[in-house]
Amino acid sequence: MSGIRVAIIDDHPLFREGVARSLSESGGFEIVGVGAAKEDALRITQAKQPDIVLLDISMPGGGLNAIEPILARHPTQKILVLTVSERTEDVTQALNAGAKGYVLKGVGSRELAEILRSVAAGENYVSPTLSAQLLSSLSGRSGLPAMSNPLATLTEREREILTLVAGGLSNKHVALRLDLQEKTVKHHMTRILAKLEVSNRTQAAMVLRDAMEDGGYPAA
């Protein structure tokens, strides 16, 4: 078995080589191409058809500008952004363009390997600190008091959990991602459902998505 086939697009050679080496040493990964610019991302995706494209934002041509053209040619291609940018606008643009995840470069090699495996299995991922930041931004943009804006009543931890759940993660995987016990996640979800006045996690995810649209974010 060749494992998960990954293309790495980053214009910093030392970082790119380090990621390639750490994934190879982790086992279960095959590096099928490396590049340093938007055009490399398009070319390698076309030629190699990797399982996942690991894509930086800051590069010639712009990493964010590569996402939609790749998906226009290969609609099922999984793209994971790996970058230093914590800007809410970058996170939103990447996810709305079709990226399956957004990871900060401070991530450890073992955690990155786990994230890649989860994305390959069909899950989405956003670094927890960015999940909370995104939800805080959404609540702030609404301009509504807490009583009429249920998202504003959530704690920072509840916002993290809701964002991960809306991204398709199970309670078990949310617990692993946030280093919590599964029963703790279940307890938080019970409180989230009560605060949002909904009966299940699907409805809670819809509240979040409606808030994203009302907050002025473009449709995914």
Side-chain angles (χ1 to χ4, degrees):
M1 296 293 290
S2 61
I4 299 170
R5 304 173 72 254
V6 180
I8 304 171
I9 315 298
D10 191 296
D11 66 343
H12 291 84
L14 286 177
F15 180 81
R16 188 174 65 227
E17 292 165 11
V19 171
R21 182 171 57 254
S22 68
L23 290 178
S24 297
E25 292 173 352
S26 294
F29 296 95
E30 178 187 359
I31 308 304
V32 298
V34 296
K38 171 189 172 183
E39 292 306 317
D40 294 332
L42 299 177
R43 173 180 54 79
I44 292 171
T45 303
Q46 178 69 29
K48 301 295 186 179
Q49 298 184 16
D51 296 316
I52 299 176
V53 175
L54 201 53
L55 186 68
D56 190 16
I57 284 179
S58 178
M59 65 171 65
L64 291 175
N65 296 330
I67 298 174
E68 289 187 352
I70 288 174
L71 294 177
R73 299 179 185 179
H74 310 281
T76 61
Q77 177 64 62
K78 295 180 174 67
I79 299 173
L80 181 66
V81 172
L82 178 61
T83 183
V84 298
S85 174
E86 299 184 33
R87 296 176 66 245
T88 299
E89 293 81 0
D90 289 337
V91 181
T92 305
Q93 184 178 344
L95 299 179
N96 285 342
K100 295 298 183 182
Y102 196 103
V103 185
L104 296 177
K105 281 188 174 180
V107 67
S109 58
R110 291 180 61 184
E111 185 178 0
L112 178 60
E114 179 188 343
I115 293 168
L116 284 166
R117 292 186 185 104
S118 69
V119 170
E123 295 184 1
N124 297 337
Y125 180 87
V126 176
S127 292
T129 55
L130 298 180
S131 300
Q133 179 179 311
L134 181 59
L135 267 176
S136 295
S137 174
L138 290 173
S139 296
R141 289 191 183 197
S142 69
L144 298 175
M147 289 297 291
S148 59
N149 177 21
L151 285 177
T153 69
L154 301 182
T155 66
E156 181 176 344
R157 176 63 82 186
E158 289 166 350
R159 291 172 179 177
E160 286 182 315
I161 291 172
L162 175 58
T163 302
L164 294 174
V165 166
L169 270 67
S170 65
N171 286 346
K172 178 180 179 180
H173 284 94
V174 170
L176 289 171
R177 200 74 77 223
L178 299 180
D179 194 24
L180 299 172
Q181 293 187 4
E182 186 174 355
K183 65 180 181 181
T184 301
V185 175
K186 290 180 180 178
H187 172 72
H188 280 300
M189 277 306 302
T190 298
R191 290 181 56 83
I192 290 169
L193 297 181
K195 288 182 178 182
L196 299 185
E197 299 183 350
V198 296
S199 59
N200 58 59
R201 56 204 295 124
T202 300
Q203 292 175 348
M206 290 176 65
V207 171
L208 172 59
R209 288 164 187 158
D210 288 345
M212 292 181 72
E213 293 176 1
D214 293 342
Y217 287 87

